[in-house]
Amino acid sequence: MSLSAFNSLLQPDAALVVAFSGGLDSTVLLHQAWRWQQHSPQSRLRALHVHHGLSPNADRWAAHCMALCQQWQLPCEVLRVRVDGRDSGIEAAARTARYQALSTALQPGEILLTAQHLDDQCETLLLALKRGSGPAGLAAMPQSRSLGAHRLLRPLLNHSRQSLEQYARTHQLVWVEDESNQDLRYDRNFLRQRLLPELSQRWPHFAEATARSAALCSEQEQLLDELLAEQLSALIQPDGSLHFPPLLTMSEARANALLRRWIAGQSGVMPSRDGLNRIRNEVMASREDAQPRLQFGQAELRRYRQQLYWLPLLSALRDIQLAWPDLHQPLRLPDDLGTLQASQSQRPLRLPRQDEQISVRFHAHGQIHLVGRSGGREMKKVWQALHIPPWQRERIPLIFYNQTLVCAPDLFITREGAAIDQHGWQAVWHSK
């Protein structure tokens, strides 16, 4: 194995970060990156080890990684994560936690290197076949992709595991073995231990052939991306939502292709064909006054007026009530919504009477009377007039005096809360 892949993928002054598990694959990758750095003195290199805590040997693996990096005089950081596999399974949850930790730990301008190889690519394509994936899934793993504001590269993607083993023996590398790799309950392990050896014995170049198929699928997807880019851009709104009525007049194939690309742009979990049909039939084609919603993993798809929104699952705040006894102190809001602060730079809100307690809630109902408007209006109509979607309404702090709604910061003040003299105040919402 030569360093030509590094030379073709990287600039001489690249800042590299290797995702280093301590196993064979990432040890070979780190060693190759280390050798490449010696020929590129302007470059930088460090390692990140994700400690999942799933194995009794996890601490020993972290110590091994730190010791090897110290031997090669490379910085190494251990990232500890918690894995909750109740929703998507241990494999998927560990992968998600790993990439989140790695992405967060990257510094500006750094490129993440991961050690997937040719056999991994074959496994990924076979797993996509098992799921019934289309061309996007069958394209498997690209050699280069975006990871937030960073690049993710897979320099070993065209090399077989056998060639990595040969490289490791030649350079007398030492690595750790994850005992979970022998557990056939995991789909990848079943393919690796049972199916792929049989396929490779029958067809010695099976992995290379599947990699070519993946590359062809990737080319087709890239072509579709280019052909649909202008139309998709016209449908996506400034807030990231999708204007969907034109999709209802298109062929199902074109509409689904546009939906998939919009969801991918939202970093969403790709729905199955059945999921796409449900989006069309249960969300886009539902009656105008409906509020349909579909959950996909840790996200949900919702409709407001003629737009589709891909949203993270949000905590319910409807029943939360916070006391605000001292206006001289800011009030921290739940669920990372920021803080409320009292200001006297403007004084549109009256001060509470002695018998009134200030509280903050996230739900109100019934009629309210707004300053500057005649008559009362139902709370639902107020939100509609302000063009606030239903899922945002219960995440806006509402200030009450006892049981009376007096204001929503920056949005409205009720007649019952309006200042009647110079001695007033203003609620300022510092949202995150």
Side-chain angles (χ1 to χ4, degrees):
M1 295 172 64
S2 69
L3 299 180
S4 57
F6 282 83
N7 291 327
S8 63
L9 291 170
L10 300 170
Q11 297 295 322
D13 60 349
L16 307 181
V17 178
V18 171
F20 184 37
S21 70
L24 167 69
D25 309 341
S26 63
T27 301
V28 169
L29 176 62
L30 184 62
H31 187 264
Q32 284 212 315
W34 177 62
R35 289 177 58 207
W36 180 82
Q37 187 200 28
Q38 292 175 327
H39 293 88
S40 306
Q42 293 180 323
S43 66
R44 302 196 313 273
L45 175 64
R46 67 187 184 105
L48 293 174
H49 174 80
V50 179
H51 187 304
H52 298 90
L54 297 175
S55 168
N57 297 311
D59 289 338
R60 183 173 63 83
W61 297 339
H64 167 84
C65 291
M66 295 293 290
L68 188 57
C69 287
Q70 186 175 15
Q71 178 184 334
W72 292 344
Q73 297 183 327
L74 293 174
C76 181
E77 181 182 355
V78 176
L79 309 175
R80 295 180 179 270
V81 299
R82 291 185 177 181
V83 178
D84 184 352
R86 288 175 292 182
D87 290 334
S88 56
I90 289 293
E91 283 182 291
R95 180 170 58 251
T96 298
R98 180 164 59 251
Y99 276 107
Q100 285 179 345
L102 292 169
S103 179
T104 301
L106 292 176
Q107 298 171 6
E110 288 186 324
I111 300 170
L112 180 66
L113 306 184
T114 59
Q116 289 90 358
H117 49 73
L118 186 64
D119 298 69
D120 293 324
Q121 183 77 308
C122 181
E123 294 164 10
T124 301
L125 184 139
L126 290 175
L127 289 171
L129 280 174
K130 180 197 68 112
R131 293 191 299 268
S133 299
L138 298 177
M141 296 179 290
Q143 190 168 49
S144 173
R145 72 172 179 88
S146 298
L147 183 66
H150 301 269
R151 285 176 68 204
L152 185 153
L153 298 179
R154 300 180 172 101
L156 306 181
L157 202 55
N158 295 322
H159 298 279
S160 68
R161 180 177 173 85
Q162 184 178 8
S163 68
L164 269 60
E165 291 173 347
Q166 179 59 48
Y167 180 95
R169 286 193 294 269
T170 300
H171 294 276
Q172 299 181 325
L173 301 181
V174 179
W175 62 91
V176 298
E177 294 286 355
D178 185 344
E179 71 280 353
S180 70
N181 289 337
Q182 304 303 315
D183 190 341
L184 297 184
R185 292 176 299 174
Y186 299 126
D187 290 341
R188 278 193 180 272
N189 291 345
F190 174 77
L191 290 176
R192 192 174 298 151
Q193 304 294 335
R194 294 283 182 86
L195 187 58
L196 284 176
E198 292 287 333
L199 292 172
S200 298
Q201 185 175 1
R202 174 82 178 190
W203 300 295
H205 300 292
F206 182 80
E208 288 88 343
T210 57
R212 287 196 298 274
S213 293
L216 290 171
C217 288
S218 179
E219 286 182 11
Q220 295 300 309
E221 280 298 293
Q222 184 177 348
L223 177 59
L224 276 176
D225 286 344
E226 294 174 4
L227 293 174
L228 294 173
E230 184 175 351
Q231 188 173 25
L232 181 62
S233 178
L235 295 173
I236 295 177
Q237 305 304 297
D239 62 358
S241 63
L242 184 73
H243 182 67
F244 69 81
L247 271 64
L248 295 172
T249 65
M250 300 176 188
S251 69
E252 184 177 328
R254 178 179 283 268
N256 285 348
L258 288 164
L259 268 176
R260 287 191 184 100
R261 280 154 181 79
W262 172 67
I263 292 171
Q266 303 294 310
S267 301
V269 176
M270 195 55 59
S272 64
R273 176 181 288 272
D274 178 64
L276 292 172
N277 288 337
R278 291 187 66 194
I279 291 174
R280 172 182 286 268
N281 297 327
E282 299 177 27
V283 180
M284 293 193 294
S286 62
R287 68 181 190 274
E288 190 172 344
D289 62 344
Q291 294 185 13
R293 56 200 294 184
L294 291 177
Q295 183 174 337
F296 296 96
Q298 295 302 306
E300 63 177 358
L301 182 123
R302 300 192 62 162
R303 189 190 82 183
Y304 182 59
R305 294 179 175 171
Q306 294 186 319
Q307 315 296 117
L308 295 181
Y309 294 82
W310 190 271
L311 304 164
L313 292 179
L314 302 173
S315 302
L317 303 179
R318 184 185 183 96
D319 298 326
I320 288 180
Q321 181 172 326
L322 305 174
W324 194 1
D326 184 1
L327 291 181
H328 294 94
Q329 299 296 324
L331 180 69
R332 183 174 296 278
L333 301 174
D335 214 31
D336 208 28
L337 288 177
T339 58
L340 284 176
Q341 192 165 16
S343 169
Q344 292 190 338
S345 59
Q346 298 182 44
R347 303 182 180 188
L349 192 64
R350 70 174 176 84
L351 290 169
R353 298 188 299 267
Q354 288 188 347
D355 63 340
E356 291 178 323
Q357 305 298 317
I358 305 176
S359 65
V360 175
R361 310 177 194 183
F362 296 88
H363 174 70
H365 62 275
Q367 282 201 342
I368 63 172
H369 297 80
L370 300 181
V371 170
R373 292 183 178 271
S374 60
R377 307 187 75 186
E378 287 292 332
M379 196 67 213
K380 179 180 178 181
K381 298 295 185 182
V382 173
W383 291 131
Q384 290 174 346
L386 292 168
H387 305 292
I388 296 177
W391 57 90
Q392 291 181 5
R393 296 171 190 173
E394 293 186 5
R395 304 184 70 77
I396 294 173
L398 303 175
I399 297 177
F400 283 73
Y401 289 171
N402 291 343
Q403 303 303 315
T404 302
L405 174 63
V406 295
C407 88
D410 303 321
L411 293 175
F412 63 77
I413 293 175
T414 67
R415 292 184 199 170
E416 295 84 352
I420 55 178
D421 53 34
Q422 297 292 323
H423 304 290
W425 68 292
Q426 180 183 21
V428 180
W429 181 18
H430 299 287
S431 59
K432 292 190 175 182

